[in-house]
Amino acid sequence: MTASEPEEVPGSPDGSTLTEQQRAVLRLLATGAKDAAIARSMGVSTRTITRLVSELTAALGASSRFQAGVRAARLGWLD
Protein backbone atom coordinates (compact mmCIF):
# COMPACT_ATOMS: atom_id res chain seq x y z
CA MET A 1 0.00 0.00 0.00
CA THR A 2 1.39 3.41 -0.84
CA ALA A 3 1.15 6.48 1.35
CA SER A 4 -1.60 7.87 -0.89
CA GLU A 5 -3.90 4.86 -0.50
CA PRO A 6 -6.33 4.76 2.42
CA GLU A 7 -5.77 2.06 5.01
CA GLU A 8 -9.44 1.27 5.38
CA VAL A 9 -10.71 -2.06 6.58
CA PRO A 10 -14.13 -3.45 5.73
CA GLY A 11 -16.70 -1.36 7.52
CA SER A 12 -19.98 -1.90 5.76
CA PRO A 13 -22.03 -4.96 4.90
CA ASP A 14 -21.55 -4.39 1.17
CA GLY A 15 -17.78 -4.07 1.41
CA SER A 16 -17.86 -0.60 -0.14
CA THR A 17 -14.98 0.60 2.02
CA LEU A 18 -12.59 -2.06 0.76
CA THR A 19 -9.59 -0.87 -1.23
CA GLU A 20 -8.77 -2.58 -4.51
CA GLN A 21 -5.74 -4.13 -2.80
CA GLN A 22 -7.95 -5.60 -0.06
CA ARG A 23 -10.39 -6.96 -2.64
CA ALA A 24 -7.55 -8.59 -4.53
CA VAL A 25 -6.22 -10.19 -1.34
CA LEU A 26 -9.69 -11.48 -0.43
CA ARG A 27 -10.19 -12.97 -3.89
CA LEU A 28 -6.91 -14.84 -3.62
CA LEU A 29 -7.65 -15.92 -0.03
CA ALA A 30 -10.91 -17.44 -1.21
CA THR A 31 -8.90 -19.64 -3.58
CA GLY A 32 -6.65 -20.82 -0.75
CA ALA A 33 -3.53 -18.98 -1.99
CA LYS A 34 -0.59 -18.61 0.41
CA ASP A 35 0.90 -15.22 1.38
CA ALA A 36 3.98 -15.68 -0.81
CA ALA A 37 1.86 -16.46 -3.87
CA ILE A 38 -0.45 -13.49 -3.20
CA ALA A 39 2.55 -11.19 -2.72
CA ARG A 40 4.13 -12.33 -6.00
CA SER A 41 0.93 -11.88 -7.96
CA MET A 42 0.36 -8.39 -6.52
CA GLY A 43 3.97 -7.24 -6.64
CA VAL A 44 4.23 -6.46 -2.92
CA SER A 45 6.14 -7.92 0.01
CA THR A 46 5.03 -10.99 1.90
CA ARG A 47 4.97 -8.85 5.06
CA THR A 48 2.43 -6.49 3.44
CA ILE A 49 0.19 -9.44 2.60
CA THR A 50 0.56 -10.92 6.09
CA ARG A 51 -0.55 -7.58 7.56
CA LEU A 52 -3.49 -7.23 5.18
CA VAL A 53 -4.64 -10.80 5.78
CA SER A 54 -4.50 -10.23 9.53
CA GLU A 55 -6.53 -7.01 9.29
CA LEU A 56 -9.12 -8.52 6.98
CA THR A 57 -9.45 -11.72 9.00
CA ALA A 58 -10.05 -9.72 12.17
CA ALA A 59 -12.51 -7.37 10.46
CA LEU A 60 -14.51 -10.32 9.15
CA GLY A 61 -14.47 -12.11 12.50
CA ALA A 62 -12.92 -15.12 10.82
CA SER A 63 -10.79 -17.71 12.58
CA SER A 64 -8.74 -18.56 9.49
CA ARG A 65 -7.57 -16.94 6.29
CA PHE A 66 -9.66 -19.29 4.17
CA GLN A 67 -12.73 -18.56 6.28
CA ALA A 68 -12.13 -14.83 5.72
CA GLY A 69 -12.21 -15.36 1.96
CA VAL A 70 -15.35 -17.46 2.16
CA ARG A 71 -17.12 -14.95 4.43
CA ALA A 72 -16.21 -12.06 2.14
CA ALA A 73 -17.62 -13.98 -0.84
CA ARG A 74 -20.82 -14.83 1.02
CA LEU A 75 -21.23 -11.19 2.05
CA GLY A 76 -20.96 -10.20 -1.62
CA TRP A 77 -17.75 -8.24 -1.06
CA LEU A 78 -16.13 -9.82 -4.11
CA ASP A 79 -17.10 -9.41 -7.75
Side-chain angles (χ1 to χ4, degrees):
M1 200 175 284
T2 64
S4 64
E5 292 179 19
E7 291 189 14
E8 298 172 330
V9 293
S12 65
D14 65 0
S16 62
T17 61
L18 291 174
T19 66
E20 284 305 311
Q21 188 177 43
Q22 289 168 325
R23 286 183 193 280
V25 170
L26 283 171
R27 281 187 208 103
L28 291 165
L29 280 179
T31 69
K34 304 268 189 232
D35 288 358
I38 296 171
R40 274 192 308 274
S41 72
M42 294 179 64
V44 298
S45 73
T46 303
R47 174 68 184 119
T48 296
I49 298 304
T50 301
R51 180 182 51 80
L52 285 168
V53 168
S54 177
E55 291 171 358
L56 290 166
T57 301
L60 286 160
S63 59
S64 71
R65 45 191 293 113
F66 183 75
Q67 186 181 34
V70 171
R71 283 190 180 181
R74 285 186 179 157
L75 289 169
W77 288 10
L78 305 175
D79 315 87

